[in-house]
Amino acid sequence: MSLSHYTRNILNIKDENITFEEDCLEIKKIKDKSIKVFHGKLSYTPEVCPNCGCLYESNPETIIKYGFKKNCKIKTTRVGNFDTILLLDKQRFLCKYCNSTFTATTDFVDSHKQISNDTRNSVILDLMDKIPEKYISKKNNISSSSTNKILDSISKDNLIKNNGKLPEIMGIDEFKATKDTISKMAFIIVDQTNKNIFDINNSRLSTDIEKYFKRYPKNERDKVKFITLDLYKPYYKLMHSLFKNAILIPDRFHIVIQARNALDKTRIKLCYKSNPNYTKLKKYWKLILKDKRELNKTKKKYQKCFKKNMTQEEIVTYLINTNNELYETYQIYQSILYSIDTKNKGIFLSIINGKNKKVSKYMKKAIRTFKDMEKYIVNAFDYEYSNGIVEGINNVIKQVKHSACGYRKFSHMKARIMLIKGLLNPIKS
Ligand SMILES: [Zn+2]
């Protein structure tokens, strides 16, 4: 094996036009860090002048070697746990036909770039894992701005996804994103069939969502069968106008959340200092919101506030009986939980169509919302689909945001999410 062959192997270079001579390796100290510096040469006989298209073969005298572009610095993957740099002398050529010069190229590194394609691929592979970018930069021996540049280059958006096809069963939701998103919330579209992200848009405003979906032709939009979404009313009108055949299904989880928030606000209203049960109502908020079927009814534990042993059920029974409005609101909340959990549409409808005079104003408001959206809410009972997958994906997004200590640029965050979820694979083969 020749020295060149051997060195290429070490550096993972496949291009045989890159050669090495003896003494090609030097260990340099930069800022107290030892760095391996390889010195190589890139040269070959060109096939064609990139400027005028003149072929070398037909006239070998026309294109001549014309010195070197020396010491082009390329950061490459680490060798033996040392940061490694390749200083490459690139052959220059002169085309006598058009009197222009050009430099030799290699697939080891793109022209005008300082990072080898190998390193770039290694960075992209790391970006597919849930690890902080700071760590990725360090591991690959590049600056964080270089990592950002790689993210930039792969976050160029493909406007139309999936050959212009939309998911038949779609979930939509919004999440708090980066500061450069419009209205600070991003809009996420999930393909419920393959349980993955379809796309993320940097605005959740109706006009922007409309613009987004209208890029898909009407006959494609007409193929969408189901859309799961939260209880945000403006979305319903919009989705109806965009997807005339789709059945809109409010997410069961969001229905519960509305009722849950109403009960919690009812409790908080009672948490004023002069209320003798102030500390207890403040302390046991979680138990009050819990599904009463899941409360422990047998195991007694010492409760400091009560100065005695009590079960969870006894605590809740005591607390809701301290106030009539809280009691009534609690019962309605528990019935809603039960009806949704058991998919009992009858119970739910009898609740929202009942009198409910004694419940708190917060629960009255929640029930008004339910009544207002009754024709959609029944779909949540009639169909299995819900936004559970979307919620799960939102959790992944939260982890991504957390591991990168927050993103300033929406495009970077999006690219990272798409990489981690396996929806983007920009690695050159
Ligand atoms: Zn030429």
Side-chain angles (χ1 to χ4, degrees):
M1 200 188 278
S2 73
L3 178 75
S4 277
H5 191 165
Y6 184 75
T7 315
R8 278 200 301 269
N9 253 339
I10 288 176
L11 293 173
N12 216 1
I13 298 171
K14 282 169 199 86
D15 188 346
E16 293 181 10
N17 295 324
I18 296 176
T19 53
F20 295 92
E21 286 165 17
E22 257 179 74
D23 306 328
C24 67
L25 171 63
E26 206 184 333
I27 296 186
K28 272 194 181 167
K29 269 215 160 175
I30 298 173
K31 287 183 202 157
D32 284 336
K33 234 170 127 189
S34 296
I35 293 178
K36 290 201 175 181
V37 182
F38 287 83
H39 204 266
K41 223 175 231 179
L42 169 69
S43 184
Y44 51 82
T45 306
E47 280 174 21
V48 64
C49 164
N51 192 41
C52 69
C54 147
L55 291 174
Y56 177 87
E57 211 181 42
S58 49
N59 201 351
E61 301 297 306
T62 315
I63 303 170
I64 58 162
K65 288 184 176 169
Y66 196 67
F68 283 92
K69 190 179 175 188
K70 288 207 162 178
N71 295 326
C72 299
K73 190 172 143 191
I74 301 156
K75 285 190 174 178
T76 183
T77 43
R78 291 162 75 89
V79 172
N81 216 20
F82 281 86
D83 287 351
T84 307
I85 287 171
L86 168 65
L87 291 178
L88 191 62
D89 294 343
K90 293 178 178 173
Q91 182 79 60
R92 308 247 320 140
F93 301 99
L94 170 69
C95 170
K96 286 181 175 171
Y97 188 78
C98 68
N99 203 28
S100 70
T101 58
F102 57 97
T103 310
T105 59
T106 171
D107 61 9
F108 183 66
V109 61
D110 291 350
S111 31
H112 308 299
K113 291 226 170 109
Q114 290 200 349
I115 291 165
S116 74
N117 288 331
D118 239 27
T119 303
R120 182 187 144 90
N121 286 350
S122 159
V123 169
I124 291 171
L125 278 175
D126 287 339
L127 286 168
M128 289 175 175
D129 280 330
K130 276 187 241 164
I131 45 176
E133 275 145 45
K134 228 170 140 183
Y135 174 72
I136 296 173
S137 308
K138 204 175 159 197
K139 187 180 160 210
N140 290 287
N141 179 30
I142 61 171
S143 65
S144 51
S145 81
S146 297
T147 305
N148 269 335
K149 264 186 210 152
I150 293 175
L151 255 182
D152 252 344
S153 71
I154 54 184
S155 54
K156 302 265 180 297
D157 223 346
N158 302 324
L159 286 179
I160 299 284
K161 305 258 169 232
N162 209 10
N163 301 324
K165 292 207 181 325
L166 285 160
E168 270 189 14
I169 308 161
M170 197 159 82
I172 58 169
D173 203 358
E174 54 202 33
F175 65 92
K176 214 165 164 228
T178 47
K179 282 192 177 140
D180 66 337
T181 46
I182 298 156
S183 73
K184 285 188 186 140
M185 298 286 267
F187 184 73
I188 180 170
I189 304 147
V190 167
D191 182 343
Q192 298 260 32
T193 311
N194 66 21
K195 299 183 175 31
N196 211 337
I197 296 170
F198 178 72
D199 203 359
I200 305 171
N201 194 39
N202 70 348
S203 166
R204 58 144 182 185
L205 299 180
S206 292
T207 46
D208 295 322
I209 294 170
E210 190 175 351
K211 230 194 289 170
Y212 176 90
F213 282 120
K214 284 229 165 131
R215 295 192 307 229
Y216 292 85
K218 191 178 171 299
N219 65 334
E220 263 316 308
R221 282 185 276 128
D222 286 352
K223 285 181 197 160
V224 176
K225 288 183 183 145
F226 296 99
I227 301 171
T228 61
L229 62 171
D230 67 18
L231 277 175
Y232 185 58
K233 210 179 177 195
Y235 279 164
Y236 286 77
K237 214 178 150 194
L238 178 64
M239 290 297 140
H240 256 318
S241 70
L242 288 166
F243 306 98
K244 74 169 188 337
N245 295 325
I247 293 169
L248 305 179
I249 308 174
D251 181 49
R252 289 186 281 276
F253 174 75
H254 282 101
I255 301 172
V256 171
I257 286 292
Q258 295 247 342
R260 186 186 147 104
N261 288 346
L263 174 62
D264 205 37
K265 280 182 186 158
T266 315
R267 175 194 63 86
I268 290 165
K269 211 181 93 186
L270 295 169
C271 288
Y272 48 90
K273 285 260 162 71
S274 56
N275 183 340
N277 292 300
Y278 170 74
T279 27
K280 290 169 189 156
L281 282 165
K282 217 175 153 197
K283 182 173 167 146
Y284 297 104
W285 65 273
K286 247 186 189 164
L287 286 185
I288 297 174
L289 296 176
K290 208 170 175 178
D291 187 327
K292 68 176 177 189
R293 291 170 298 168
E294 285 165 19
L295 289 174
N296 199 309
K297 297 167 184 68
T298 49
K299 207 171 132 202
K300 287 194 188 237
K301 257 177 88 180
Y302 184 74
Q303 303 299 331
K304 225 173 157 186
C305 300
F306 288 94
K307 296 190 181 82
K308 61 175 176 179
N309 291 325
M310 287 172 90
T311 66
Q312 288 186 335
E313 192 187 39
E314 284 167 345
I315 295 167
V316 172
T317 307
Y318 171 87
L319 288 172
I320 57 173
N321 278 294
T322 60
N323 178 279
N324 198 36
E325 204 175 76
L326 180 65
Y327 180 87
E328 296 293 337
T329 306
Y330 181 82
Q331 303 308 333
I332 289 288
Y333 168 71
Q334 290 295 338
S335 302
I336 289 172
L337 271 191
Y338 178 80
S339 70
I340 285 169
D341 193 41
T342 58
K343 289 202 139 201
N344 191 324
K345 188 164 66 178
I347 293 179
F348 188 86
L349 290 178
S350 73
I351 293 167
I352 65 167
N353 290 306
K355 290 264 186 291
N356 301 313
K357 266 189 184 160
K358 291 172 182 165
V359 302
S360 69
K361 62 176 179 188
Y362 309 110
M363 190 57 92
K364 277 182 186 141
K365 192 179 164 221
I367 290 171
R368 267 202 307 277
T369 307
F370 296 152
K371 258 190 92 116
D372 201 24
M373 304 190 76
E374 186 179 327
K375 71 168 178 173
Y376 299 115
I377 288 181
V378 292
N379 290 338
F381 290 92
D382 293 341
Y383 297 96
E384 265 310 315
Y385 305 114
S386 89
N387 248 6
I389 303 158
V390 183
E391 300 293 328
I393 287 168
N394 265 339
N395 284 336
V396 173
I397 292 171
K398 261 184 217 153
Q399 285 170 22
V400 170
K401 275 164 71 182
H402 183 77
S403 82
C405 307
Y407 280 87
R408 254 164 288 155
K409 261 180 126 171
F410 173 78
S411 59
H412 286 181
M413 188 190 70
K414 177 175 170 178
R416 200 71 209 282
I417 293 165
M418 301 303 243
L419 283 166
I420 288 171
K421 294 297 287 175
L423 295 157
L424 197 60
N425 195 346
I427 290 185
K428 292 171 184 174
S429 54

